[in-house]
Amino acid sequence: MYKIMTPGPTMVPENVRMARSLECTNPDLDTEFVEFYKETCELISELLYTENETLILSGEGILGLEAACASLTEQGDKVLVLDNGIYGKGFADFVTMYGGEADILSFDYENEIDVLKLEDYLKSSHDYKYATVVHCDTPSGMLNDIGSICRMLKKYGILTVVDSVSAMFGEVVKVDEFQIDLLCGGSQKAVSAPPGLTFVVVSEDAKQAMRDRKTRIASFYANLTTFEGYYENKWFPYTMPISDIYGLRAAFENIKAEKDVYERHARIASATRETIKKAGLKLHQNSGFSNTVTVFDIPEGVTAEQILSAMKEDYKIMLAGSFDAFAGKVIRIGHMGYNAQAENMVEVFHGLDGVFHKLGVSLNASLEETFKLLIINS
């Protein structure tokens, strides 16, 4: 087995694994499970600082993103897609799939979204039903300031759809304060549960926009309105994956119990970035550094595949390359959720020291020893 230090899926704590092994009931008929589901949704809302309703959907994180777009978009709706990464630009596919017109506003892929440039654009162009933004665009590790972005969009009367699958619970997300209308998360990132679930936090403004539609939503599974009245009627639109939800609940209880979860992520991430720089490697971004994933450029003379293969074969550690515009150019280290522990990062840097030595890459300093000193003094 490998130590999975990728930017999702992450390693899973033992209590989460054991929760998934609990005896199953029939989630369609057992009203106690309806209560359990609702309480779990309320716990998620609490941890995201909101009174808005959370819904847990049976599907990987992409289902939440598609459901948000499917539920809001009607034929001809204008949607602003904020693009400074592969996932950011990818929102346009969901918008057009459901008949919307996507205006892609592109920014530099090596820097976070420039909020002042966005405001300049919105002054003359703000006739949009909603806008999409990615909190952490994982292929490059880019983190965007969703608080400033969403508040600005709402000032112009634009609904906000945020993909925070790879950031939330490693980065602070305050839904009400940030004025987020549809926030999408997933089980397999900083939540540290297995893949398979997504959750969407829905504002009253978003619900009203769905009620005001003139046409039916062109989906059943990716339709957030199918859950309307589920609790009052004690009825789900489809059979819920009960074992997955048991595990998800345990994962969120872990997050609630840890008082310094955000400080832990920030400390590990800061030491990781500083270690990379002191060793003479180059961080891929110029700004927008995330507390959940660190991305560095491939040194000259070696390939991403050589590094990743040697880490797996020699040290049983799984890191990630990237894809699309970043294919073969970077290595990604995931330090989110259960992964974000000093001892895990020591193992990663021990392995990278050995791999770079094996591949003939000279470093300015030992990654392992540098990280140990930084984390001790942090």
Side-chain angles (χ1 to χ4, degrees):
M1 293 292 291
Y2 297 111
K3 179 179 284 289
I4 307 171
M5 295 298 292
T6 60
T10 62
M11 294 184 287
V12 176
E14 184 67 12
N15 71 323
V16 174
R17 293 200 320 113
M18 294 308 295
R20 297 178 76 245
S21 69
L22 294 173
E23 185 176 359
C24 291
T25 183
N26 185 328
D28 292 326
L29 302 176
D30 192 336
T31 57
E32 288 188 10
F33 177 74
V34 180
E35 296 291 340
F36 182 86
Y37 175 93
K38 184 171 185 290
E39 289 169 5
T40 304
C41 290
E42 289 172 344
L43 175 58
I44 299 171
S45 293
E46 175 191 340
L47 293 171
L48 292 168
Y49 303 94
T50 183
E51 297 294 321
N52 293 343
E53 183 178 29
T54 294
L55 298 170
I56 301 168
L57 312 182
S58 176
E60 193 269 341
I62 281 181
L63 173 60
L65 310 182
E66 181 173 345
C69 295
S71 300
L72 285 179
T73 311
E74 292 191 82
Q75 192 72 34
D77 280 344
K78 289 185 64 179
V79 179
L80 179 63
V81 174
L82 301 182
D83 160 36
N84 71 328
I86 294 166
Y87 288 167
K89 188 175 184 178
F91 256 120
D93 294 335
F94 293 131
V95 171
T96 56
M97 186 185 303
Y98 290 97
E101 298 177 5
D103 282 357
I104 300 175
L105 181 60
S106 295
F107 296 84
D108 180 357
Y109 273 34
E110 293 182 1
N111 290 285
E112 62 189 306
I113 289 173
D114 187 323
V115 179
L116 294 179
K117 287 184 179 179
L118 173 60
E119 185 168 28
D120 285 341
Y121 177 85
L122 291 173
K123 287 175 182 175
S124 58
S125 303
H126 51 259
D127 183 24
Y128 295 105
K129 183 173 186 179
Y130 68 94
T132 65
V133 61
V134 175
H135 193 183
C136 177
D137 210 300
T138 332
S140 66
M142 182 63 65
L143 187 77
N144 290 310
D145 180 1
I146 58 171
S148 298
I149 291 168
C150 290
R151 281 191 291 261
M152 183 177 296
L153 290 164
K154 287 289 281 186
K155 184 173 73 173
Y156 286 91
I158 303 169
L159 295 170
T160 59
V161 174
V162 175
D163 167 5
S164 187
V165 173
S166 299
M168 62 167 63
F169 305 112
E171 304 280 352
V172 176
V173 179
K174 297 184 176 182
V175 170
D176 292 349
E177 182 181 322
F178 294 177
Q179 298 185 40
I180 301 171
D181 289 300
L182 280 162
L183 177 71
C184 304
S187 57
Q188 76 271 30
K189 305 283 186 172
V191 176
S192 293
L197 294 176
T198 186
F199 44 92
V200 183
V201 188
V202 190
S203 75
E204 287 304 315
D205 285 351
K207 288 182 178 180
Q208 190 60 51
M210 295 173 204
R211 296 187 195 108
D212 290 343
R213 290 177 60 105
K214 297 177 179 63
T215 57
R216 295 179 62 185
I217 295 171
S219 176
F220 176 82
Y221 209 65
N223 178 348
L224 296 174
T225 68
T226 59
F227 281 82
E228 190 169 354
Y230 83 87
Y231 180 69
E232 294 77 7
N233 297 321
K234 303 294 186 286
W235 178 87
F236 293 107
Y238 50 79
T239 301
M240 302 307 293
I242 183 169
S243 296
D244 290 345
I245 294 173
Y246 284 159
L248 187 72
R249 174 65 167 271
F252 279 117
E253 294 287 1
N254 288 344
I255 292 170
K256 183 177 181 178
E258 184 181 353
K259 301 306 179 185
D260 64 345
V261 62
Y262 297 111
E263 291 81 359
R264 171 169 61 86
H265 279 83
R267 190 167 67 97
I268 293 293
S270 177
T272 297
R273 291 191 295 268
E274 192 63 23
T275 296
I276 293 291
K277 290 190 291 184
K278 285 183 178 296
L281 299 169
K282 183 183 180 301
L283 294 171
H284 181 72
Q285 304 133 267
N286 297 320
S287 66
F289 298 106
S290 165
N291 286 336
T292 58
V293 55
T294 292
V295 183
F296 64 90
D297 290 343
I298 304 296
E300 289 187 14
V302 296
T303 67
E305 183 57 36
Q306 286 176 307
I307 296 168
L308 297 173
S309 294
M311 284 293 286
K312 283 170 36 177
E313 292 169 8
D314 298 348
Y315 297 96
K316 303 302 180 187
I317 296 173
M318 188 179 291
L319 302 181
S322 196
F323 51 92
D324 203 285
F326 307 106
K329 297 179 180 179
V330 298
I331 295 294
R332 298 182 294 156
I333 305 171
H335 38 74
M336 56 179 69
Y338 195 54
N339 285 13
Q341 311 287 345
E343 57 268 29
N344 292 334
M345 293 306 304
V346 167
E347 287 188 49
V348 168
F349 285 131
H350 173 76
L352 284 172
D353 276 337
V355 167
F356 284 133
H357 177 75
K358 176 181 179 180
L359 296 176
V361 176
S362 297
L363 299 175
N364 294 342
S366 162
L367 290 160
E368 180 183 2
E369 296 307 317
T370 301
F371 180 82
K372 285 179 178 178
L373 285 173
L374 287 168
I375 207 69
I376 288 171
N377 295 322
S378 65

